[in-house]
Amino acid sequence: MNIEELSGLPPGALEHFRSEGIEELYPPQAEAVDAGTTEGENLVAAVPTASGKTMIAALSMLSAIERGGKALYIVPLRALASEKREEFAAYESFGVDVGVTTGNYESTSDWLASKDIVVATSEKVDSLVRNGASWLSELTCVVSDEVHLIDDRNRGPTLEVTLAKLRRLNPDLQTVALSATVGNADEIAAWLDAELVDTDWRPIDLQMGVHYGNALNFDDGSTREVPVEGSEKQEAALVRDIVQEGGSSLVFVNSRRNAEAAARRLGQVTSRELTDGERDELAELADEIREDSDTETSTDLADCVERGSAFHHAGLSSTQRSLVEDAFRERLLKVISATPTLAAGVNTPARRVIVRDWRRFDPTAGGMAPLDVLEVHQMMGRAGRPGLDPYGEAVLLAKSHDESEELFDRYIWAEPEPVRSKLAAEPALRTHVLATIASGFARTREGLLEFLEATLYASQSTESGRLETVTDSVLDYLERNEFIERDRGDGSDDAGAFTTAADLADSGGRSEDLEATSLGHTVSRLYLDPMSAATIVHGLEDADDRPTALGLYQLVSRTPDMYELYLRSGEDEKFGELYYEREAELLGDRPSEFEEDRFEDWLAALKTGKLLEDWAEEEDEERITERYKIGPGDLRGKVDTAEWLLGAAESLAAEIDSEWTVAVREARARVEHGVGEELLELVSVRGVGRKRARDLYAVGIEEPADLRTADKSVVLGALKGEKTAENVLENAGREDPSMDGVEADASAAATGSGDHDNSTAETEATATTDDEENQSSLGDF
């Protein structure tokens, strides 16, 4: 189908697509148009990676906008939200406004009301529904990217319930679901009342095969010689072969440690293939990575990057991940060894994808277990980029003939698994049942069950009464913890059917009325798991004395919303000693060592809490990441999560009239800025982070008022930079912040915080420029 045949798009859209080199639609895109996606029809598109799903979304959204509507594009990851925002921003050239929102779960983001396209994560959309964002009722088209992730135990239920709620809010809403090729796309289409485009068409050929011995054997029966030289590993031979051809390679492994080790080894291969110009560019990129974070992980990554190789996993900071992904897309980096997280949406195609590890540790299996077919196919789908690669190759590695045959049967010729709802798991229902009641989607037990009947789980369930049983168990839990009230009388109100969350129409039904308490409304608004809220509330109520920072950090680390550090071999003894040493500080019903599982959970939370205490006591980033064997991205993730949970704890403390609200607020501020209590006032000044605050404090400047009266030479000596000093003084409200003619006090310059963190929390954003006056906080990464 030629794009000239398209109609119903905003003026300028066709010209834009032509400027992008698009003259003909791919077959799946043409099939979507024929199915009515540009006319407001619901659609499920189950097509391979790089086969034009985004164009299907664009045609659906732009046609909805041309009809006077508004579109929402839901993504599973923040990184993908940023990528899509940049992609859709090009539509602003013909008058389409685009906005993105991913954080601040307490906000309704009213500024988005004027946007034509909104890009958001499913968690953010869920929070917008909970908080009653009025502009959601104006949506006429919603696109759900990577909808097969409904199968994910952690994020799937949120996406499933959010889609169900949006469809209830807007009965005429067009729903477009984009999926990988899955085993039951027809079931998803039936759930969404949608037309189905289900195809394995790709714009360039993808050959899938297994490397064994010295040959690549493909699914079409062809063979390609790739000899392994001497002691060389299979993946090294495959990378060498494709890089010499001018292509790039992705190598998927099963752990962070393996990703880093593989990148170091593969760097020996790629370094021999670099041009002088590439070496210079890679050296600059390596410097950027080193400047981002002063940790061993950053140093290791930079060393690999200089050789044309990189690793990619969740332990990297978002800045590091972006630098690596951009350099790989530009083919400056020749190979990335990655954990499977890289396969989850972000656009990083390579000519050859190597799935080195097809097993990974699964605690539920008690050992190594094979990956799902769908996950392996998602990795393999990264092979081949239209316009750059003449073909794509996806390769598994076998050590024997029998293993080669097993891999063909298990993955190459296998169909991906069907997508199954995970909503009936009690932790997922706990959160979504409370939100459904608090936001007014259901006011009775019958209305709640009616709403849940509109989910994928209900359409797939063959176990009669299972959903009802789990729902009743959840209602009991919520009532027991005073998040809801239940009236088991003969009331007949039921909110099973309505047009908006705020304007519900009653329908007949028997008995049990449901209403969220004030505490329940607060928990739902804060986007907390009710079990997290119960843990925090009970901990605060248990405290007889003012809680310490460690006590509060360990408390929030025990919640389901904090992914706590696990105990390594021998650490149970180390943290057991710390437990008894500081037991009086811990909040809640403390376990004895004879309650083995519970005791171990408390020790793991204590380890996580101690990490947060170390950060708040100004330990430097490198020491913390080394001590706890984590990456800089892990540290930042823990700090961000703790800051959010402590902010929520502050709201809960106020809700229950706890006398410890101030203690919680101070603990939150300390972990946010990574400082001792005495520096909290100084870090409130814009441009003053943990290192600068300590340097100022060391020369007697202890609060913002001191900055307005202190000798400028002392300030300059402590801050070591005229522009930095001027910015800080101006932000503190000094009338004349100029440093013209001021000489730094040498004694102040010598009294620095040499032992304190010089980390990215205020990355030599110390090298502040005229255009860069703000220091970044750790949470920015």
Side-chain angles (χ1 to χ4, degrees):
M1 178 182 289
N2 191 290
I3 63 167
E4 297 297 338
E5 300 176 52
L6 295 173
S7 60
L9 298 177
L14 292 182
E15 289 81 354
H16 166 74
F17 292 136
R18 277 195 296 269
S19 72
E20 296 286 309
I22 300 170
E23 296 290 345
E24 292 276 340
L25 294 183
Y26 287 162
Q29 297 164 349
E31 195 175 338
V33 172
D34 289 340
T37 197
T38 56
E39 298 171 359
E41 296 295 329
N42 294 343
L43 180 80
V44 171
V47 299
T49 300
S51 298
K53 288 197 288 278
T54 301
M55 183 64 168
I56 293 174
L59 294 175
S60 305
M61 294 190 297
L62 292 174
S63 59
I65 291 165
E66 181 62 10
R67 293 193 298 272
K70 182 185 185 74
L72 173 66
Y73 191 99
I74 302 176
V75 295
L77 304 170
R78 289 189 182 195
L80 196 53
S82 300
E83 184 179 295
K84 293 302 178 185
R85 165 68 179 86
E86 291 176 17
E87 195 170 337
F88 298 148
Y91 304 159
E92 294 177 354
S93 65
F94 53 88
V96 174
D97 287 333
V98 181
V100 62
T101 179
T102 58
N104 190 357
Y105 293 146
E106 296 179 60
S107 164
T108 56
S109 300
D110 290 338
W111 63 276
L112 293 169
S114 64
K115 302 297 181 183
D116 299 308
I117 295 175
V118 176
V119 183
T121 59
S122 53
E123 289 82 6
K124 177 60 181 179
V125 179
D126 183 25
S127 74
L128 289 168
V129 175
R130 294 182 189 209
N131 287 290
S134 58
W135 58 267
L136 289 176
S137 62
E138 300 168 13
L139 292 175
T140 59
C141 175
V142 59
V143 177
S144 178
D145 199 359
E146 310 282 344
V147 76
H148 55 273
L149 291 177
I150 279 180
D151 194 76
D152 182 89
R153 188 169 304 279
N154 297 314
R155 289 188 145 170
T158 296
L159 176 57
E160 181 179 349
V161 169
T162 298
L163 286 175
K165 285 182 177 177
L166 289 174
R167 298 181 73 215
R168 291 290 291 271
L169 275 171
N170 306 316
D172 296 325
L173 181 70
Q174 178 188 15
T175 305
V176 178
L178 310 178
S179 171
T181 305
V182 295
N184 62 333
D186 57 333
E187 285 187 15
I188 299 173
W191 170 50
L192 296 174
D193 303 313
E195 297 295 319
L196 175 62
V197 174
D198 190 0
T199 178
D200 59 3
W201 182 91
R202 287 175 56 94
I204 61 174
D205 288 337
L206 171 64
Q207 289 186 297
M208 299 194 296
V210 177
H211 185 269
Y212 166 56
N214 290 315
L216 257 174
N217 301 298
F218 291 110
D219 51 348
D220 61 1
S222 63
T223 299
R224 174 171 175 161
E225 290 295 315
V226 183
V228 179
E229 300 174 354
S231 61
E232 189 177 42
K233 291 185 176 291
Q234 286 172 282
E235 62 268 27
L238 288 161
V239 169
R240 171 175 47 77
D241 174 69
I242 206 71
V243 170
Q244 287 176 347
E245 188 188 90
S248 61
S249 186
L250 274 174
V251 180
F252 285 105
V253 297
N254 60 9
S255 71
R256 296 183 186 186
R257 183 176 299 177
N258 283 340
E260 294 177 11
R264 285 192 290 270
R265 285 195 305 272
L266 295 172
Q268 298 171 20
V269 175
T270 54
S271 64
R272 296 194 291 266
E273 310 299 331
L274 300 173
T275 66
D276 290 342
E278 287 174 331
R279 291 182 197 280
D280 291 342
E281 287 187 70
L282 288 167
E284 292 179 12
L285 178 62
D287 287 341
E288 284 189 72
I289 289 168
R290 290 189 183 99
E291 288 170 6
D292 174 66
S293 175
D294 185 19
T295 64
E296 184 178 353
T297 300
S298 299
T299 301
D300 290 346
L301 178 60
D303 291 346
C304 288
V305 163
E306 286 181 323
R307 301 166 73 86
S309 173
F311 53 84
H312 188 292
H313 56 58
L316 302 184
S317 72
S318 59
T319 299
Q320 292 167 348
R321 288 197 297 269
S322 295
L323 290 171
V324 166
E325 290 161 11
D326 290 344
F328 186 72
R329 279 191 283 264
E330 293 165 6
R331 296 285 166 98
L332 181 59
L333 284 171
K334 309 304 179 186
V335 61
I336 293 179
S337 23
T339 53
T341 52
L342 188 61
V346 181
N347 181 27
T348 49
R351 186 170 300 177
R352 178 176 287 162
V353 169
I354 302 164
V355 182
R356 194 194 78 176
D357 300 336
W358 55 276
R359 295 185 184 92
R360 69 162 164 247
F361 181 76
D362 182 352
T364 63
M368 303 298 283
L371 300 177
D372 289 341
V373 176
L374 177 58
E375 187 170 1
V376 171
H377 282 195
Q378 280 289 91
M379 298 178 202
M380 291 178 151
R382 296 285 158 199
R385 185 199 300 186
L388 277 180
D389 295 314
Y391 62 90
E393 285 181 357
V395 185
L396 289 147
L397 308 184
K399 296 289 191 290
S400 67
H401 178 72
D402 287 346
E403 186 180 13
S404 176
E405 289 194 342
E406 179 186 0
L407 291 175
F408 267 99
D409 289 339
R410 183 183 288 277
Y411 294 115
I412 305 299
W413 290 323
E415 293 295 320
E417 298 84 2
V419 170
R420 294 293 175 202
S421 168
K422 301 298 188 290
L423 180 60
E426 197 161 313
L429 267 188
R430 211 165 45 217
T431 297
H432 293 295
V433 164
L434 176 59
T436 301
I437 296 169
S439 57
F441 273 84
R443 290 176 177 162
T444 69
R445 175 181 176 276
E446 291 68 34
L448 175 62
L449 290 171
E450 183 184 336
F451 168 73
L452 293 173
E453 282 296 323
T455 62
L456 177 63
Y457 175 81
S459 70
Q460 289 183 330
S461 179
T462 57
E463 191 177 344
S464 177
R466 159 76 174 160
L467 187 59
E468 187 171 352
T469 300
V470 179
T471 300
D472 283 336
S473 175
V474 166
L475 289 173
D476 289 342
Y477 176 85
L478 296 175
E479 182 182 32
R480 197 163 57 247
N481 286 281
E482 300 180 0
F483 297 135
I484 64 168
E485 292 177 346
R486 300 163 78 176
D487 181 354
R488 295 176 175 83
D490 295 325
S492 59
D493 285 348
D494 187 349
F498 57 93
T499 55
T500 71
D503 182 22
L504 305 173
D506 292 336
S507 65
R510 66 166 180 84
S511 70
E512 196 168 315
D513 292 340
L514 305 173
E515 184 175 357
T517 62
S518 178
L519 178 61
H521 277 289
T522 298
V523 172
S524 180
R525 176 178 55 80
L526 292 171
Y527 208 72
L528 281 176
D529 182 324
M531 186 172 280
S532 294
T535 300
I536 291 168
V537 167
H538 297 158
L540 292 175
E541 289 177 339
D542 178 68
D544 293 324
D545 300 315
R546 191 182 200 269
T548 65
L550 177 69
L552 290 165
Y553 297 154
Q554 196 265 356
L555 175 64
V556 298
S557 296
R558 295 202 315 266
T559 67
D561 283 307
M562 173 69 84
Y563 188 73
E564 64 191 23
L565 299 173
Y566 68 91
L567 295 175
R568 297 176 181 273
S569 177
E571 286 190 337
D572 51 348
E573 183 176 341
K574 172 184 175 182
F575 286 99
E577 290 176 4
L578 184 64
Y579 176 89
Y580 289 115
E581 178 186 329
R582 303 186 67 174
E583 184 177 9
E585 298 178 53
L586 305 182
L587 305 172
D589 181 19
R590 295 183 286 278
S592 79
E593 59 186 300
F594 300 108
E595 301 174 81
E596 289 187 14
D597 290 345
R598 191 159 165 260
F599 189 68
E600 187 169 318
D601 284 343
W602 272 61
L603 293 188
L606 179 58
K607 178 181 177 180
T608 309
K610 188 69 177 75
L611 175 148
L612 295 168
E613 183 186 53
D614 289 350
W615 171 253
E617 290 183 348
E618 300 171 58
E619 288 261 18
D620 76 56
E621 189 176 0
E622 184 173 13
R623 288 178 190 165
I624 294 175
T625 55
E626 175 59 29
R627 179 180 301 150
Y628 293 93
K629 307 299 181 193
I630 59 173
D634 299 308
L635 173 59
R636 291 163 184 172
K638 292 287 180 289
V639 168
D640 282 348
T641 304
E643 184 188 342
W644 165 57
L645 286 171
L646 287 162
E650 185 181 342
S651 296
L652 292 172
E655 180 68 38
I656 64 174
D657 293 324
S658 170
E659 60 185 307
W660 309 128
T661 305
V662 174
V664 176
R665 183 181 307 136
E666 288 181 359
R668 184 201 58 76
R670 286 189 61 196
V671 83
E672 175 189 359
H673 298 287
V675 297
E677 190 174 336
E678 70 276 15
L679 298 186
L680 286 177
E681 288 194 56
L682 276 177
V683 293
S684 69
V685 176
R686 185 179 169 193
V688 177
R690 65 195 315 233
K691 180 181 181 295
R692 291 179 187 163
R694 180 54 63 188
D695 288 344
L696 289 167
Y697 195 86
V699 297
I701 299 172
E702 300 181 0
E703 55 187 35
D706 295 340
L707 285 166
R708 295 191 284 273
T709 58
D711 188 313
K712 287 184 179 181
S713 65
V714 174
V715 176
L716 182 58
L719 295 180
K720 306 173 185 67
E722 287 188 11
K723 187 62 181 176
T724 297
E726 287 176 353
N727 286 336
V728 167
L729 290 183
E730 183 178 353
N731 293 335
R734 187 148 180 163
E735 289 187 7
D736 177 21
S738 173
M739 284 287 164
D740 289 347
V742 177
E743 298 254 344
D745 185 309
S747 62
T751 314
S753 55
D755 292 333
H756 286 278
D757 191 18
N758 188 17
S759 74
T760 40
E762 42 174 22
T763 315
E764 304 306 16
T766 306
T768 309
T769 66
D770 290 338
D771 298 321
E772 191 179 77
E773 295 184 3
N774 303 330
Q775 287 177 269
S776 11
S777 72
L778 181 143
D780 291 333
F781 291 87

